[in-house]
Amino acid sequence: MANRTRLSEGRIDQFFSGPNARADQWRELVDVAHAWLAGGKSRTDFETALLEMVPIEEFHAYPGPHLMAALRDNSAADDARSVLSLVTRISTALLTRSFRGHAGDWEIHDEGSESVPDLLPPTLGRSETHRPYFETLIVTGVPSERWPALCAEWRGLRRPLDAFIYEPVFVGSVEDAFCATMLNPDLAAVVINEGFVFRSRHDVPVLRTLSESLERKYKAELSALQLAQLLKRVRPELDIYIVSNRRVEELAGNPMADVARRVFYSIEELLELHLAILEGVQDRYDTPFFDNLKKYAQRPIGTFHALPIARGKSVFKSDWIRDMGEFYGPTLFLAESSATTGGLDSLLEPTGNIKIAQEKAARAFGADHVFFVTNGTSTSNKMAVQALLAPGDIAIVDRNCHKSHHYGMVLAGAQPLYVEAFPMTEYSMYGAVPLRTIKEALLNLKSENRLHRAKMLDLTNCTFDGHIYNTRRVMEECLAIKPDLIFLWDEAWFGFARFSPFLRPRTAMGAANDIETWLRDSASVAAYEKQQSELGKNPSNETLLKTRLIPDPRQVRLRVYQTNSTHKSMSALRQGSMLLVKDIDFHTVEAQFHEAVFTHASTSPNQQLIASLDVARRQMELEGYGLVGNAIEVSLAIRKAVAEHPLISKYFKILGADGMVPAEYRQSGFTDFLAPGSNWAIALRSMQDDEFCLDPTRMTLVCGTAGFDGTQFKGMLASRYNIQLNKTSRNSVLLQSNINNTRSDVAHLIRVLVEISHEIDQRLTQGGPNVRKTFEERVKSLMTDVPDLPNFSSFHESFRKDAGKRTNEGDIRGGFYTAYDAAGCEYIRLADPEIDRRLTNGPQLVSANFVIPYPPGFPIMVPGQVITKETIDFMRKLDVKEIHGYDATEGLKLVRPDALAKRAGATTKHAA
Ligand SMILES: Cc1ncc(COP(=O)(O)O)c(C=O)c1O
């Protein structure tokens, strides 16, 4: 069985096996049972297959010991028919997840009930109220023979009043507790009783690789508190309860006990514990703003203010727009309001349920504060930049970042010092900015005594194409050079990463929390001082660039901001975004933040957007772990199918880490998730150590090798196959898996790729040599005749303001406003030879505005920038249709040389 091979090899795709792979294993077991009944396989085959599934099944409540024992008993009685019947029912219940609400699935014998698993969404198929289901992990020292009795005791605590229903899952060791936490996405709470052992009862290679690092770290001994810390690190959203029979006061007083929601004395308190578990889940389930909006929609409210659409009367009574009402349904209109009172709150000055909703979001995302934003991360970025930067401040910015940052700099009057990402010329895209480049910028500023002016480092993590920074290392090394530098991480695409233990340490907040822990550790000062004495008094810049710098924990002011487009990776409506703050000096900028909110936020924020941010948070806290695991699982399935399919792989490939990240930034030597010999432990090392790693959910599918440019291929997928995607490059398209994807989506995509590959194959085999030659030429043109990516040149002398000699910052706002003087600007068409003449003989061409091809959406020209030959070559070869700031009939908008001269004169006079 394919899965069994994978299990023993401990492959990465096995590790990321969520419910899908488990369901596969059960279906394969059904096949074995079928074959046994038909005579093709034996009872031993069945029993071997079942036995191999036992360790992982023990981490889940369903089918549980009762049904597993029934399977074993039926098998021992040589009753293949009963085995097949039961194994089929279990497999179906797991696949449809019906066991969460259908009691019959837990019975050994099918009582022939009529009830069919409810496959329809609740509003269509179910009328009775639905109680959400979860599982609670119980770590215990009680021998496993007594677990069934304990399980009965836990179930006995259920009351009809309970808002949720849960099943206990028992484990007796640290290793099993750890593996269950990693592998069971349904867990919402953990109860740790003292008396457990370290080693698992099972010896399964994939589990061993999962837990061997534990053994190294903890030397096979862990207290309940240490175990609580460990599990909380894997899944911070879980509620942890510790039950102790001794010294409970001492335990509760230990600062490490912060990770536990409550500490209980002995098992006598079982009902209290049960109620605490339900209350803990309720706390995550509560969505203060959404709950109030639902109540508001039920009230008979007469409106005598704006927003006639509220309550829907102008819609439903109309002959002409009633279809809108029918399309959206009455609830949307009942939930519309421009009120900020009567149970609702004001996004601009929240004091009630929006405030609480934001506090809950801060808890969920590991921040100190969260601002909900209803106009996309485009707005969150502008808010952060405006609040944190003032005119004259220098910000080190990835030139490649989203345009909102550049516009933010214009608004703030800050001086961007652009740094370059490593180019991926072959695919016409950029990677991320190497740490060396960032340190060099800071050290150059320092050499020129301008470091005090550098306020912020502004980067995109992960990039559109999936490059993830080593956020912790970047921040630590920068803080070693400038201890109060502010970090703005644009995680527009990466909000979901909080809910994966692999990705979390690489998020802004994950790293900030780790740095905070490090700052509190007494060993940190010693580490800093040791490095200082090794570096000596005045280390050269080259030495500092080569050294992994340690900051001085006593000097560091940790100031980290993250923006995320909640709508891009979680269940928020379009434009729902969050701005996360973890800033020890937030009190010094809080007033500015409110000004930034007032500047950018609409005074009529959309209620549904705010509610969806609240709900997205609830979902991620309760099922985000499984959903993100599923998104990763789906991406690995797509990667595998494309790589292994003989026909697809002839024309297409998905770039692995080695294709996306140059070897010098993959210090661990990691090549790809599915490379031979790769397992999850190796991938983990890459996540820990490498300068950049790849988000597996972002798949660059190279289509140039199939003769399609990115735009053409994207259009074909949309028009012929109803497959939507967003970003393209000259020879690739970007596929993204997210929490919404299913295996049917994967199947559809793979079928489509097979069909397209088949068509190409047929055309090439049936067409003559000319067809083949044309195809080869097209592939060559797409894959090798690619334009060089233009680096940022410099601001024109008259826009450099007071920039230093070695740094390239400039007055982007000054550049921006020159475009407002129509007489001072000129247009030259891209094909006009005048462009080439000016490039050779001058005067310099200076852009009057932003020129931003979309996608990818970063500016290849900013206002005041000197235009170089590389930029012109790139523009001339560019094959995207939408280029913001460029009108092909008018040409490039430039600042006239005489306007530049006038400006330079004015600047000099002013300076004198
Ligand atoms: C890196 C980055 N930041 C910010 C944004 C803007 O986000 P939003 O669409 O939520 O305004 C985008 C949009 O694509 C982006 O790619």
Side-chain angles (χ1 to χ4, degrees):
M1 280 184 2
N3 270 320
R4 275 197 277 145
T5 322
R6 280 192 271 141
L7 182 67
S8 41
E9 285 170 356
R11 281 185 49 159
I12 188 158
D13 44 344
Q14 168 64 34
F15 174 68
F16 280 108
S17 299
N20 293 335
R22 231 185 116 217
D24 276 355
Q25 273 190 323
W26 277 96
R27 250 192 327 264
E28 283 175 31
L29 195 66
V30 172
D31 291 346
V32 178
H34 255 298
W36 172 21
L37 190 64
K41 293 228 178 206
S42 67
R43 186 177 119 195
T44 318
D45 291 331
F46 176 82
E47 286 176 351
T48 313
L50 181 66
L51 195 66
E52 214 169 297
M53 287 165 60
V54 165
I56 288 188
E57 287 308 316
E58 283 197 1
F59 302 143
H60 300 86
Y62 187 82
H66 179 57
L67 293 182
M68 289 297 270
L71 273 181
R72 272 194 303 271
D73 292 347
N74 286 339
S75 178
D78 219 13
D79 183 354
R81 196 166 298 280
S82 298
V83 163
L84 177 62
S85 157
L86 184 53
V87 91
T88 307
R89 279 178 47 226
I90 295 174
S91 170
T92 310
L94 279 170
L95 191 69
T96 60
R97 297 170 71 73
S98 61
F99 68 91
R100 300 163 71 96
H102 180 224
D105 288 341
W106 298 76
E107 304 294 335
I108 293 174
H109 299 290
D110 188 359
E111 301 304 331
S113 85
E114 292 292 301
S115 85
V116 178
D118 192 353
L119 300 175
L120 297 173
T123 48
L124 300 178
R126 222 179 340 235
S127 52
E128 82 271 23
T129 44
H130 166 68
R131 282 201 290 178
Y133 168 95
F134 64 92
E135 296 178 9
T136 295
L137 184 69
I138 318 270
V139 188
T140 176
V142 170
S144 56
E145 304 78 69
R146 286 195 43 218
W147 292 354
L150 279 184
C151 184
E153 255 181 72
W154 277 93
R155 284 186 183 160
L157 297 167
R158 285 180 190 161
R159 304 158 314 148
L161 278 177
D162 293 345
F164 312 102
I165 190 149
Y166 70 90
E167 281 289 329
V169 175
F170 294 89
V171 291
S173 69
V174 169
E175 286 189 332
D176 287 341
F178 180 67
C179 292
T181 307
M182 292 293 257
L183 298 174
N184 182 347
D186 289 330
L187 292 182
V190 182
V191 177
I192 303 177
N193 298 277
E194 287 174 330
F196 51 83
V197 296
F198 185 86
R199 277 233 162 225
S200 168
R201 306 193 287 154
H202 308 288
D203 190 20
V204 182
V206 69
L207 301 184
R208 189 64 62 228
T209 53
L210 203 60
S211 58
E212 73 189 1
S213 59
L214 290 183
E215 185 152 1
R216 266 197 312 271
K217 186 162 174 202
Y218 293 102
K219 314 230 168 359
E221 207 177 301
L222 242 77
S223 67
L225 271 186
Q226 281 175 312
L227 178 59
Q229 297 232 317
L230 173 72
L231 301 186
K232 200 74 180 169
R233 187 161 172 78
V234 177
R235 291 181 57 181
E237 75 281 7
L238 294 180
D239 289 329
I240 300 196
Y241 302 90
I242 297 181
V243 182
S244 172
N245 287 331
R246 51 205 162 100
R247 299 180 285 102
V248 69
E249 301 78 9
E250 197 184 307
L251 188 74
N254 187 328
M256 272 171 70
D258 280 358
V259 291
R261 195 161 193 277
R262 264 189 77 176
V263 176
F264 283 92
Y265 178 64
S266 106
I267 210 73
E268 298 160 3
E269 311 261 11
L270 206 54
L271 180 63
E272 284 297 303
L273 187 48
H274 168 74
L275 295 175
I277 289 170
L278 293 176
E279 189 189 59
V281 172
Q282 184 72 52
D283 187 32
R284 277 174 276 164
Y285 187 82
D286 284 342
T287 33
F289 182 77
F290 176 56
D291 297 344
N292 270 289
L293 190 63
K294 281 195 291 185
K295 280 190 208 140
Y296 178 89
Q298 303 301 327
R299 287 167 48 194
I301 289 170
T303 55
F304 288 98
H305 54 93
L307 204 72
I309 210 165
R311 324 305 294 177
K313 289 177 223 166
S314 71
V315 177
F316 288 103
K317 284 190 184 155
S318 164
D319 265 357
W320 302 100
I321 63 168
R322 193 183 306 150
D323 60 331
M324 180 197 187
E326 285 160 5
F327 181 69
Y328 288 111
T331 314
L332 175 67
F333 304 98
L334 293 172
E336 274 296 335
S337 168
S338 59
T340 53
T341 51
L344 300 176
D345 194 5
S346 160
L347 184 66
L348 291 156
E349 200 82 77
T351 52
N353 44 54
I354 295 184
K355 183 167 180 285
I356 304 171
Q358 291 186 154
E359 285 163 5
K360 280 177 181 271
R363 171 189 71 197
F365 288 90
D368 293 339
H369 310 277
V370 164
F371 291 89
F372 285 175
V373 180
T374 57
N375 199 12
T377 297
S378 305
T379 297
S380 306
N381 288 336
K382 281 179 271 191
M383 282 179 181
V385 169
Q386 178 185 328
L388 298 166
L389 296 175
D393 286 344
I394 297 172
I396 300 174
V397 190
D398 176 4
R399 197 272 309 236
N400 230 338
C401 66
H402 188 260
K403 60 185 185 172
S404 48
H405 299 267
H406 306 272
Y407 282 107
M409 301 290 157
V410 171
L411 294 173
Q415 298 183 24
L417 196 174
Y418 286 120
V419 281
E420 295 291 346
F422 64 81
M424 296 172 60
T425 312
E426 205 184 339
Y427 302 109
S428 281
M429 60 173 83
Y430 281 96
V433 184
L435 179 53
R436 186 184 167 94
T437 307
I438 298 166
K439 284 167 71 179
E440 222 161 15
L442 284 168
L443 292 170
N444 284 339
L445 285 167
K446 189 174 178 191
S447 313
E448 295 188 336
N449 287 326
R450 297 158 56 73
L451 191 57
H452 62 285
R453 294 261 303 273
K455 284 275 165 59
M456 176 191 277
L457 173 66
D458 185 352
L459 298 172
T460 307
N461 183 57
C462 68
T463 65
F464 211 151
D465 301 293
H467 300 95
I468 312 176
Y469 282 86
N470 193 329
T471 40
R472 177 168 180 181
R473 179 166 176 192
V474 169
M475 291 198 276
E476 283 180 352
E477 293 216 41
C478 289
L479 289 169
I481 302 173
K482 182 149 200 303
D484 60 353
L485 191 66
I486 300 173
F487 300 91
L488 172 56
W489 294 99
D490 177 343
E491 298 193 348
W493 295 103
F494 209 42
F496 73 98
R498 168 85 192 160
F499 299 91
S500 159
F502 286 95
L503 301 177
R504 187 182 316 113
R506 291 227 170 199
T507 63
M509 289 303 139
N513 282 295
D514 288 347
I515 294 175
E516 193 176 52
T517 310
W518 180 85
L519 290 174
R520 283 200 222 106
D521 186 341
S522 55
S524 307
V525 172
Y528 165 75
E529 283 179 344
K530 179 166 176 287
Q531 181 172 77
Q532 286 301 301
S533 73
E534 280 160 11
L535 285 171
K537 260 248 159 307
N538 276 316
S540 68
N541 278 0
E542 195 46 40
T543 307
L544 294 173
L545 287 171
K546 273 199 219 132
T547 311
R548 194 203 199 290
L549 298 175
I550 300 174
D552 182 349
R554 296 157 301 192
Q555 299 296 322
V556 166
R557 309 297 302 168
L558 190 61
R559 312 191 64 185
V560 185
Y561 291 79
Q562 184 248 43
T563 53
N564 84 63
S565 294
T566 320
H567 69 99
K568 289 196 202 297
S569 70
M570 292 166 266
S571 298
L573 294 174
R574 195 158 157 87
Q575 294 195 359
S577 168
M578 292 189 197
L579 199 171
L580 275 52
V581 182
K582 186 158 186 68
D583 178 357
I584 189 160
D585 290 328
F586 186 64
H587 59 280
T588 63
V589 291
E590 194 168 352
Q592 290 150 227
F593 248 93
H594 291 296
E595 291 297 345
V597 171
F598 295 150
T599 308
H600 294 279
S602 162
T603 41
S604 313
N606 185 290
Q607 311 285 12
Q608 320 320 321
L609 283 181
I610 304 170
S612 76
L613 287 169
D614 202 10
V615 172
R617 186 276 309 152
R618 177 211 286 176
Q619 178 178 45
M620 295 315 278
E621 275 198 308
L622 287 163
E623 56 178 348
Y625 180 79
L627 291 173
V628 173
N630 180 61
I632 296 176
E633 190 183 7
V634 161
S635 79
L636 293 176
I638 295 174
R639 285 171 184 275
K640 197 156 179 281
V642 169
E644 289 178 1
H645 196 285
L647 195 55
I648 302 179
S649 60
K650 225 166 132 180
Y651 299 106
F652 296 95
K653 71 173 169 186
I654 293 180
L655 297 181
D658 49 350
M660 295 292 292
V661 179
E664 63 194 289
Y665 307 121
R666 279 182 286 114
Q667 290 84 347
S668 72
F670 179 72
T671 51
D672 188 28
F673 304 100
L674 300 173
S678 238
N679 63 27
W680 77 268
I682 296 173
L684 181 63
R685 205 171 321 124
S686 162
M687 286 283 172
Q688 276 168 357
D689 299 344
D690 288 349
E691 179 161 353
F692 300 114
C693 54
L694 178 66
D695 173 358
T697 68
R698 308 191 74 82
M699 295 160 275
T700 297
L701 178 78
V702 179
C703 56
T705 39
F708 299 107
D709 68 56
T711 316
Q712 189 186 9
F713 193 61
K714 168 179 160 173
M716 185 168 86
L717 289 181
S719 61
R720 268 178 66 184
Y721 302 105
N722 280 331
I723 292 179
Q724 297 282 342
L725 39 90
N726 185 348
K727 189 185 173 254
T728 60
S729 80
R730 181 169 169 74
N731 46 27
S732 72
V733 295
L734 180 74
L735 305 172
Q736 258 176 271
S737 61
N738 64 39
I739 62 168
N740 185 43
N741 285 122
T742 62
R743 296 177 86 189
S744 304
D745 298 336
V746 180
H748 180 45
L749 176 71
I750 297 304
R751 279 262 24 102
V752 166
L753 292 178
V754 170
E755 191 177 315
I756 296 171
S757 308
H758 185 66
E759 277 173 18
I760 304 171
D761 222 42
Q762 234 177 6
R763 210 174 58 234
L764 293 182
T765 38
Q766 290 171 4
N770 278 344
V771 171
R772 237 165 306 157
K773 189 155 173 272
T774 311
F775 177 79
E776 278 156 18
E777 278 167 6
R778 170 84 177 142
V779 170
K780 183 170 171 295
S781 137
L782 289 169
M783 298 304 297
T784 53
D785 183 17
V786 284
D788 276 340
L789 294 168
N791 276 351
F792 177 75
S793 49
S794 62
F795 284 101
H796 183 266
E797 206 45 55
S798 52
F799 298 111
R800 274 175 55 76
K801 223 171 184 175
D802 56 355
K805 286 196 186 61
R806 301 170 67 181
T807 54
N808 223 347
E809 68 272 24
D811 171 19
I812 195 167
R813 178 192 249 172
F816 182 84
Y817 282 106
T818 52
Y820 282 35
D821 172 19
C825 294
E826 61 182 339
Y827 290 88
I828 310 181
R829 284 187 175 198
L830 202 54
D832 191 331
E834 174 65 6
I835 295 254
D836 304 276
R837 268 195 297 278
R838 293 257 305 257
L839 282 174
T840 319
N841 305 321
Q844 284 180 318
L845 301 163
V846 176
S847 182
N849 57 0
F850 285 105
V851 175
I852 305 176
Y854 217 88
F858 68 85
I860 57 168
M861 294 176 206
V862 306
Q865 179 186 337
V866 174
I867 300 174
T868 57
K869 183 171 178 319
E870 289 73 35
T871 314
I872 295 296
D873 286 349
F874 185 78
M875 281 288 287
R876 285 177 175 164
K877 284 189 180 174
L878 203 64
D879 43 16
V880 300
K881 290 204 179 65
E882 194 179 333
I883 306 177
H884 301 173
Y886 171 69
D887 178 346
T889 45
E890 292 265 16
L892 293 172
K893 186 172 183 179
L894 306 169
V895 188
R896 291 171 63 91
D898 49 343
L900 288 169
K902 210 160 91 192
R903 190 183 157 83
T907 319
T908 330
K909 224 168 19 193
H910 192 249

